[in-house]
């Protein structure tokens, strides 16, 4: 029997209050939850020191980043624009590591300011060498294996373009020697899987790569920490996966005489279950016998594209607008408001509707989509169908609501368009 999902950090009264005060749809984040997740990450087992970097692509809202900064979290930036944004928000450049698919156009300025560059290809490494001969640099390697709940979230192995292929170590050394570069950090990242054995294996492979570079003093093992959104999904336990890895670091120190500093880069772990979307039921329609009952929400892929991209499952909790529950449940297919066949909130991998049992949903009721703190607002198809960017609200430990992003108005959607004479 499918379990009915429950609210994670909001109360039903808070849901109704937020909807009335800020309108729907609206993202809501828990400050208390974010801070607790930071504390958990900062307690990751380590042998010789730890730096936690927040993968800011998960959710780059200014207030979210300010909470991270106050907790002592550093930044993992995936583009030059993220690095610039983090600096603008008050992070010191030396707290930021740039790991990007595209070579930054202002790489020279960023590095000169103090940003740490992590070369993700041979071309990037050589470009860095030409700009900064004799300087220290970090290199990302593809360790040859990975982990993810779908092929799209697996960022290690032969199907991934991320990082220098592990068999090209000698080519990396040749470039480093040619420009006098010192590779002080090795970086790997396997994806968003939850298999601790795979993660431990990658740690060992990464340590083996680090052993090939005598100047290496830091090993960054990236992310790869699965977060369970649904009740039947497990969340990675940092202590369980961290203790064996810390022991591997001690063995490395005993064998090679180098006490490697550990870095990790949680993004999802810090934010996923500390965010939700509050939407309203706009319509309920049926396709008759043998068909489905569809609940249409006033939100969709324009603010969370994960269901369309990955068939990702998010808990859906119906909250009565009037505060009275019928106690009934029903089977629905939830869909978004975009005029797009792929805007299915409950769908199978590869497409197609999947019914979900929830509380009875009536017109005007609220539906809370949980597990929306990471890779939702930041990875949306914003302005598709010209829907405005969604507002975002922070809930403090005292229950006070703070607006941390305004909802776009119509003019802001097209303000950068330039009329021309035709």
């Amino acid at each position: 029997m499918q379990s009915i999902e429950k609210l994670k950090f909001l109360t039903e009264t808070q849901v109704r209050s937020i909807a009335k005060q800020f309108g729907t749809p609206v993202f809501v984040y828990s400050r208390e939850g974010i801070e607790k997740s930071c504390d958990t990450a900062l307690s990751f087992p380590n042998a010789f020191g730890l730096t936690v970097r927040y993968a800011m692509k998960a959710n780059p809202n200014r207030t979210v980043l300010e909470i991270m900064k106050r907790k002592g979290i550093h930044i993992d930036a995936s583009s030059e624009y993220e690095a610039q944004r983090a600096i603008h928000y008050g992070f010191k450049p030396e707290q930021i590591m740039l790991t990007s698919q595209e070579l930054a156009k202002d790489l020279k300025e960023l590095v000169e300011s103090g940003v740490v560059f992590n070369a993700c290809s041979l071309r990037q490494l050589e470009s860095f060498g030409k700009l900064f001969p004799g300087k220290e640099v970090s290199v990302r390697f593809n360790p040859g294996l990975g982990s993810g709940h779908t092929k799209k979230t697996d960022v290690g192995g032969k199907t991934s373009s991320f990082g220098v292929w592990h068999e090209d170590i000698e080519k990396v050394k040749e470039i480093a020697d040619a420009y006098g570069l010192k590779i002080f950090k090795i970086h790997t990242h396997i994806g968003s899987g939850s298999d601790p054995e795979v993660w431990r294996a990658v740690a060992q492979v990464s340590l083996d790569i680090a052993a090939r570079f005598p100047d290496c003093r830091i090993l960054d093992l990236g992310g790869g920490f699965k977060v369970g959104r649904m009740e039947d999904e497990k969340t990675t336990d940092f202590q369980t996966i961290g203790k064996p890895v810390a022991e591997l670091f001690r063995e490395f120190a005993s064998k090679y005489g180098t006490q490697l500093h550990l870095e990790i880069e949680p993004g999802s772990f810090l934010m996923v279950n500390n965010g939700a979307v509050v939407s309203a039921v706009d319509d309920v329609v049926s396709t008759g016998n043998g068909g489905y009952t569809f609940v249409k929400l006033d939100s969709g892929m324009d603010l969370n594209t994960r269901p369309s991209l990955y068939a990702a499952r998010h808990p859906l909790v119906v909250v009565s607008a009037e505060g009275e529950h019928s106690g009934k449940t029903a089977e629905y297919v939830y869909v978004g408001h975009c005029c797009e066949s792929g805007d299915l909130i409950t769908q199978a991998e590869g497409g197609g509707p999947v019914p979900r049992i929830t509380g009875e949903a009536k017109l005007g009721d609220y539906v809370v989509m949980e597990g929306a703190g990471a890779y939702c607002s930041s990875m949306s198809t914003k302005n598709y169908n010209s829907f405005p960017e969604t507002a975002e609200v922070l809930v403090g430990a005292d229950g006070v609501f703070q607006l941390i992003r305004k909802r776009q108005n119509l003019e802001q959607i097209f303000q950068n368009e330039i009329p021309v004479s035709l």
Side-chain angles (χ1 to χ4, degrees):
M1 179 68 179
Q2 178 184 322
S3 62
I4 304 298
E5 298 285 341
K6 300 178 179 62
L7 295 174
K8 295 188 184 299
F9 63 88
L10 293 170
T11 66
E12 292 195 357
T13 299
Q14 286 178 319
V15 170
R16 287 187 282 269
S17 296
I18 289 169
K20 290 174 183 177
Q21 183 174 345
F22 301 102
T24 60
V26 59
F27 281 100
V28 186
Y29 307 117
S30 167
R31 176 175 180 173
E32 185 177 20
I34 296 170
E35 290 175 338
K36 287 182 177 178
S37 294
C38 287
D39 290 338
T40 299
L42 290 165
S43 69
F44 193 95
N46 63 90
F48 308 111
L50 172 73
T51 297
V52 177
R53 294 187 181 277
Y54 172 53
M56 66 177 282
K57 61 184 177 179
N59 189 322
N61 183 283
R62 182 175 198 150
T63 301
V64 169
L65 290 175
E66 178 63 31
I67 294 171
M68 302 286 180
K69 179 156 61 76
R70 292 187 179 197
K71 297 298 289 187
I73 306 291
H74 291 198
I75 290 295
D76 163 38
S78 294
S79 72
E80 60 196 281
Y81 304 103
E82 283 192 346
Q84 293 164 350
R85 192 171 179 177
I87 292 171
H88 180 73
Y89 292 163
F91 283 89
K92 297 176 182 178
E94 55 268 26
Q95 294 177 314
I96 302 166
M97 183 170 76
L98 174 61
T99 306
S100 59
Q101 282 283 78
E102 174 185 285
L103 184 66
K105 298 175 181 64
D106 61 349
L107 178 62
K108 188 173 187 294
E109 292 78 6
L110 285 172
V111 173
E112 287 177 342
S113 75
V115 171
V116 178
F117 179 64
N118 190 25
C120 295
S121 70
L122 297 175
R123 181 241 172 171
Q124 287 192 8
L125 182 62
E126 185 157 21
S127 296
F128 180 90
K130 290 177 180 178
L131 288 172
F132 300 103
K135 193 173 180 65
E136 290 190 331
V137 67
S138 175
V139 177
R140 175 174 181 170
F141 282 93
N142 180 332
L145 69 163
S147 178
H149 76 278
T150 75
K151 290 181 179 178
K152 291 182 179 180
T153 59
D154 184 335
V155 294
K158 288 185 177 293
T159 60
S160 173
S161 66
F162 295 97
V164 178
W165 185 241
H166 65 100
E167 293 176 342
D168 288 336
I169 288 178
E170 290 305 317
K171 293 180 181 178
V172 169
K173 287 188 170 187
E174 289 174 7
I175 294 173
D177 290 343
Y179 296 98
L181 300 176
K182 293 183 178 180
I183 298 174
F184 80 105
K185 183 193 299 187
I186 297 298
H187 174 274
T188 60
H189 179 53
I190 63 171
S192 59
S194 58
D195 187 342
E197 288 304 313
V198 172
W199 207 83
R200 186 181 188 279
V202 172
Q204 182 61 67
V205 171
S206 302
L207 285 164
D208 292 340
I209 294 173
R212 304 280 296 274
F213 296 92
D215 294 314
C216 180
R217 61 180 185 273
I218 302 172
L219 180 57
D220 187 326
L221 294 177
F225 310 113
K226 172 67 177 176
V227 178
R229 289 174 168 84
M230 307 291 290
E231 285 192 0
D232 61 355
E233 295 176 339
K234 293 183 179 180
T235 294
T236 303
D237 183 88
F238 277 14
Q239 297 300 312
T240 299
I241 67 171
K243 288 177 181 177
V245 172
E247 185 57 36
L248 291 178
F249 273 57
R250 294 186 188 96
E251 292 174 6
F252 184 94
S254 177
K255 184 175 182 179
Y256 297 103
T258 301
Q259 296 182 349
L260 292 175
H261 183 91
L262 172 65
E263 292 191 353
I264 57 173
E265 299 170 352
S268 293
F269 187 90
L270 295 178
M271 286 300 302
V272 162
N273 287 326
N274 299 316
V277 178
V278 177
S279 303
V281 176
D282 182 73
D283 209 343
V284 180
V285 302
S286 172
T287 51
N289 291 335
Y292 302 98
T293 299
F294 295 90
V295 173
K296 298 183 179 182
L297 302 180
D298 65 352
S299 64
M301 61 187 289
D302 58 305
L303 63 131
N304 181 10
T305 191
R306 295 186 72 257
S308 297
L309 279 180
Y310 307 130
R313 297 189 302 158
H314 286 261
L316 301 170
V317 183
V318 178
V319 175
S320 169
E322 304 303 324
E324 297 180 0
H325 290 279
S326 68
K328 297 179 182 179
T329 61
E331 190 174 81
Y332 303 113
V333 172
Y334 281 84
V335 299
H337 60 177
C338 291
C339 188
E340 171 58 53
S341 59
D343 197 8
L344 276 169
I345 295 169
T346 55
Q347 68 168 282
E349 189 171 349
V354 174
R356 181 85 63 84
I357 298 173
T358 68
E360 184 180 28
K362 300 177 182 178
L363 288 179
D365 282 346
Y366 303 117
V367 175
V368 179
M369 176 186 288
E370 294 284 6
Y375 299 101
C376 292
S377 64
S378 64
M379 206 168 71
S380 67
T381 55
K382 183 178 72 174
N383 297 156
Y384 185 57
N385 288 173
S386 293
F387 283 114
E389 183 177 28
T390 311
E392 299 179 56
V393 170
L394 183 73
V395 178
D398 54 4
V400 174
F401 310 136
Q402 292 178 286
L403 185 66
I404 60 174
R405 182 191 295 278
K406 296 179 182 178
R407 192 181 310 278
Q408 270 186 321
N409 60 41
L410 179 63
E411 289 75 17
Q412 289 172 325
I413 295 174
F414 53 77
Q415 65 184 359
N416 288 337
E417 295 177 3
I418 301 174
V420 297
S421 298
L422 298 175

